[in-house]
Every structure is written in C-alpha cells, then in structure tokens.
C-alpha cells in the first residue's frame, strides 16, 4: 500500500490550511471545464466526486508537454488502499474530484525537447510521486521520497498550483525524473504493482542489507505488500517466515509463494518457538497489533521495519534495549531504487500475483479491497476500458 509514506504527507496539508485547499480545489474544478480546450489536452478518467468514494467516468485535462516531460498512454494501473483513503476522504484532506491511482504503466507517446532517457514507444511506469524540488540533500541523493516538497501522484498540489490526477485515466504527463523504464519483455500488467507495493518492501530490505543469502526474514501480513516481500526474500536466498492471523493463507504462503515457514501470530507456542531467530522483520500490517511479541523474535541487533500504518505503536522499552533491537519506519523509495527494483524483477522473473479488472469494476474492486478479498493486487486494464 505504501501507506506509511503517503500518510506521512498529511501534516503538510494541514499546514496549508482549509482556505488554500478550497481555493485549489476550485481552481482544479474550473480547469476541468474543457469545452474550449484543445483535443490533445483532454483525458478520459474515473473520479470520485464526494466522500462516498463512488467513482464514475469523468473528463480531465492534462498539461501540454514541457521540455522535461514525458507523456504516456496508460495501459494498466494497480489498485492500492490509498485509493480508498483519498476517494473516501478518510484523512479529511481530499480535493474533489479525486482521480486515484499511483501504480501506473504504459507507453510513451511524446517527449519534451530536453528528455534524454526515453523515446516514443518505450514501456514506462509512474509511481507514488510526480515531482520534488530536485535540489535538496535528499533529491541529490536520489531519495526524492524524503523531499519536503515532494508531490504525490494524485490529490497533491503540484508546483503550478494544480491538483494532481492519477492513473485511473488513459494518459498522464510527468517529469522525466519520475518516469521509469520497464525492462523489455516484462509484462506491463505485472509491472504496475511494483511501483508502490513492490518498492515499499524492497526499499527497507536493501537498506538493511537483507539481500544476503542465508539470513532469516519474517513477513507480517500476506497482502499486496507482504507477498512481494516473500518473493524478494526467496530471490535473495533468505529463509522466510510468514506471520498471519488466518490459517487459510498457509497453503498460499508455502505452496504458491515458497515461504519456508508459516506461523499463526496469535498462537503463543508457535511464536515462542521462534524467539531470537530472525535477522529482519518487515511489518506490512495496516491494522492495530502488538509489537513486543514480534520484536522478541529478532536476534540481537535485529531490525523490524514498519511499512504499514496502524493507528498507534506501543512498545515496551525492554523489547528494544535488551538485544539492541531496532524498530524502523520505511515508505516507498527514491528514483534510483525504483529503477533498480524494476531491473531486478525483470532479471529474476519476479512477478506480482494480480487479478485483472476493467475500469467499470473499480467500485466493486475497492469494496473487495476494503474487505481484504483480493489475491494479491487488482490491476486495471486501462487500455481496454476506454473506448
């Protein structure tokens, strides 16, 4: 989901104030009146117009391609829980109409005069962010997701004051820096979830050196993010243990994804048997859950990385102090990391587990996502959804 990273931008909205949000939303709404706009600027989309979150067909306008821009025809877009949050105004900062979608892939149709890395016809992807300042310490280190001026792909305010509209649409224009090459031969429908779910778990694994064979990995939760953590872990040569509250996921974890072990997290005996045995844990669970039982499973100086977004974290100091364990946060990834991950997935034939849908199924899909009824990521077939 990448929710830790996306929700982290919420205070910035608060600082802008309700008056600015209202003014910006009105400006965006005015821009959507396209009776006098050139045909090239028009874009078919699906948008939510209010907090009921119901999406329906909508016309939006994309900007004219600038010198450092890439325009792409969207072929597929993954469905993330962030799409539920902002279409339903769960953070009280949605600017309607909201066009969701930040797991975007497609084909380049136009490039700006200064674009060096892309050509017309290239297969490309766009993820959680579409802009940043480009010149701070984080941007200069290819950690744009930490830039204080980063702009999210939808429901964000871009540098020109417009509200960003996401991938539930048939084309998008973005800066070259935030466009990524999908390696030749990699299926576009499978590439979409990598732009959020994939990079969100890949980033902390690389940062904490969990790409070294023989280490032990724990994965909490087996949804869109969790199943990618298992796939990465097995490709890295790790011994992978999946933690879940649902026995029904055992066969999927072991047989489908290749995990070495499956543990029901509420079973105290199973948990006790794994004390001080794991080098690293990636926690993808979004709901509230205890942390101390998991921290006790780490070896001395082990790390637990939180990529989900529970409402609170409660930890006994001893869980960290004894054993010098670390509880770390992580979200999304920078531009270099995203391209590295895409290349890694192509080289190792790592493919997310997806369910293909058409755009007119999206409201049902979001309902199913809320009810955790998806294995493991919905991907919208955009190319065959707009006629």
């Amino acid at each position: 989901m990448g929710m830790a990273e996306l929700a982290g931008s919420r205070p910035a909205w608060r600082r802008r104030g309700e008056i600015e949000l209202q003014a910006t939303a009105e400006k965006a709404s005015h821009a959507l009146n396209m009776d006098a706009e050139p045909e090239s600027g028009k874009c078919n989309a699906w948008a939510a117009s209010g907090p009921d979150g119901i999406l329906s067909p909508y016309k939006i306008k994309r900007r004219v391609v600038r010198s450092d821009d890439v325009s792409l025809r969207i072929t597929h877009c993954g469905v993330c829980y962030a799409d539920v949050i902002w279409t339903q105004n769960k953070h009280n900062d949605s600017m309607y109409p909201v066009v969701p979608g930040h797991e975007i892939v497609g084909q380049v149709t136009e490039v700006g005069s200064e674009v060096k890395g892309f050509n017309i016809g290239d297969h490309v992807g766009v993820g959680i962010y579409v802009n940043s300042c480009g010149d701070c310490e984080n941007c200069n280190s290819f950690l744009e997701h930490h830039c204080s001026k980063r702009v999210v792909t939808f429901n964000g305010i871009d540098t020109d004051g417009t509200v960003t509209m996401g991938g539930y649409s048939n084309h998008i224009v973005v800066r070259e820096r935030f466009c990524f090459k999908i390696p030749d031969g990699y299926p576009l429908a499978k590439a979409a979830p990598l732009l959020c779910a994939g990079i969100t778990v890949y980033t902390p694994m690389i940062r904490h050196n969990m790409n070294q064979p023989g280490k032990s990995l724990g994965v909490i939760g087996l949804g869109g993010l969790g199943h990618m953590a298992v796939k990465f872990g097995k490709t890295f040569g790790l011994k992978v243990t999946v933690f879940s509250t649902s026995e029904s996921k055992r066969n999927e974890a072991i047989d489908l994804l290749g995990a070495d072990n499956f543990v029901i997290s509420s079973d105290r005996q199973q948990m006790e048997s794994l004390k001080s045995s794991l080098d690293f844990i990636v926690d993808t669970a979004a709901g509230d859950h205890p942390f101390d039982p998991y921290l006790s499973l780490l070896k001395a100086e082990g790390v637990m990385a939180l990529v989900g977004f529970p409402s609170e974290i409660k930890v006994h100091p001893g869980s960290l102090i004894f054993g010098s364990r670390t509880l770390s946060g992580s979200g999304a990834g920078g531009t270099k990391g995203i391209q590295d991950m895409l290349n890694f997935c192509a080289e190792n034939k790592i493919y997310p587990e997806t369910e293909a849908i058409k755009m007119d199924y999206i409201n049902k899909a979001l309902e199913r996502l809320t009810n955790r009824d998806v294995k493991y990521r919905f991907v919208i077939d955009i190319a065959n959804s707009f006629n």
Side-chain angles (χ1 to χ4, degrees):
M1 293 187 292
M3 291 315 308
E5 185 73 7
L6 283 172
S9 65
R10 185 182 177 192
W13 295 121
R14 295 303 187 197
R15 290 194 297 271
R16 294 180 187 276
E18 296 298 329
I19 295 177
E20 182 179 347
L21 288 176
Q22 182 178 353
T24 306
E26 289 174 355
K27 179 177 181 179
S29 189
H30 175 73
L32 292 171
N33 180 358
M34 300 190 302
D35 291 342
E37 296 296 342
E39 187 66 25
S40 61
K42 293 183 179 180
C43 178
N44 292 318
W46 277 54
S49 58
D52 62 4
I54 301 300
L55 289 107
S56 59
Y58 209 92
K59 294 283 188 181
I60 63 174
K61 180 182 180 295
R62 296 299 190 188
R63 69 172 180 255
V64 173
V65 173
R66 300 183 295 217
S67 61
D68 64 342
D69 276 343
V70 174
S71 178
L72 59 137
R73 177 179 62 86
I74 299 173
T75 61
H76 299 83
C77 185
V79 179
C80 175
Y81 192 71
D83 304 344
V84 174
I85 288 178
W86 275 280
T87 55
Q88 297 183 10
N89 198 28
K90 291 182 179 291
H91 284 175
N92 299 313
D93 58 12
S94 297
M95 294 174 284
Y96 295 104
V98 173
V99 177
H102 60 213
E103 295 181 340
I104 303 166
V105 294
Q107 192 168 22
V108 176
T109 57
E110 186 179 354
V111 296
S113 59
E114 297 178 7
V115 171
K116 306 296 184 184
F118 298 96
N119 297 301
I120 293 173
D122 285 351
H123 289 175
V124 295
V126 177
I128 295 176
Y129 302 106
V130 293
N131 216 339
S132 68
C133 80
D135 196 35
C136 65
E137 179 180 359
N138 290 317
C139 288
N140 289 332
S141 301
F142 301 104
L143 299 174
E144 297 89 346
H145 58 307
H146 295 317
C147 174
S148 63
K149 296 181 180 179
R150 65 195 186 277
V151 178
V152 291
T153 303
F154 73 90
N155 200 59
I157 300 177
D158 211 340
T159 53
D160 61 2
T162 60
V163 176
T164 55
M165 304 281 182
Y168 288 17
S169 57
N170 61 2
H171 88 272
I172 192 169
V173 179
V174 297
R175 292 182 61 196
E176 177 183 17
R177 181 170 186 152
F178 294 91
C179 196
F180 307 97
K181 187 165 289 187
I182 306 298
D184 292 343
Y186 197 93
L188 293 185
K190 296 294 186 180
L194 299 178
L195 278 304
C196 173
I199 190 60
T200 298
V201 294
Y202 184 85
T203 296
M205 293 177 76
I206 295 298
R207 185 169 75 243
H208 294 288
N209 301 311
M210 286 303 294
N211 55 347
Q212 300 175 1
K215 289 189 174 183
S216 52
L217 167 69
V219 178
I220 303 174
L222 199 62
L225 277 69
H227 94 287
M228 288 306 304
V230 175
K231 286 176 178 279
F232 286 137
K234 292 307 298 179
T235 305
F236 288 142
L238 310 181
K239 182 178 180 181
V240 180
T241 297
V242 171
F243 298 91
S244 176
T245 58
S246 176
E247 177 65 32
S248 65
K249 293 193 174 183
R250 179 182 297 273
N251 289 341
E252 296 168 19
I254 302 295
D255 299 332
L256 174 65
L257 301 175
D260 301 282
N261 194 13
F262 181 88
V263 172
I264 297 297
S265 54
S266 59
D267 188 317
R268 182 174 296 181
Q269 186 173 354
Q270 289 186 48
M271 295 288 282
E272 288 277 346
S273 70
L274 291 176
K275 277 198 170 181
S276 302
S277 67
L278 302 177
D279 293 292
F280 186 76
I281 296 173
V282 57
D283 182 357
T284 72
D288 290 341
H289 57 283
F291 284 79
D292 293 311
Y294 292 110
L295 288 167
S296 72
L297 307 185
L298 291 172
K299 296 178 182 179
E301 300 188 351
V303 176
M304 178 172 170
L306 179 65
V307 299
F309 209 85
S311 64
E312 63 177 1
I313 297 174
K314 291 184 178 180
V315 177
H316 190 283
S319 296
L320 300 176
I321 293 171
F322 303 118
S324 299
R325 300 180 177 100
T326 298
L327 178 60
S328 170
S330 185
T335 54
K336 183 180 183 302
I338 292 172
Q339 190 63 63
D340 288 347
M341 176 210 59
L342 290 169
N343 295 342
F344 179 78
C345 288
E347 291 165 4
N348 293 278
K349 294 181 169 55
I350 301 173
Y351 305 115
E353 303 296 323
T354 60
E355 179 178 338
I357 63 171
K358 295 289 184 63
M359 193 74 248
D360 59 9
Y361 187 76
I362 188 58
N363 290 307
K364 179 64 176 178
L366 293 177
E367 179 184 339
R368 286 179 54 193
L369 177 59
T370 302
N371 294 329
R372 301 180 182 180
D373 178 25
V374 54
K375 298 178 182 179
Y376 285 89
R377 206 68 159 180
F378 286 120
V379 175
I380 308 167
D381 181 357
I382 298 290
N384 292 304
S385 291
F386 294 99
N387 297 320

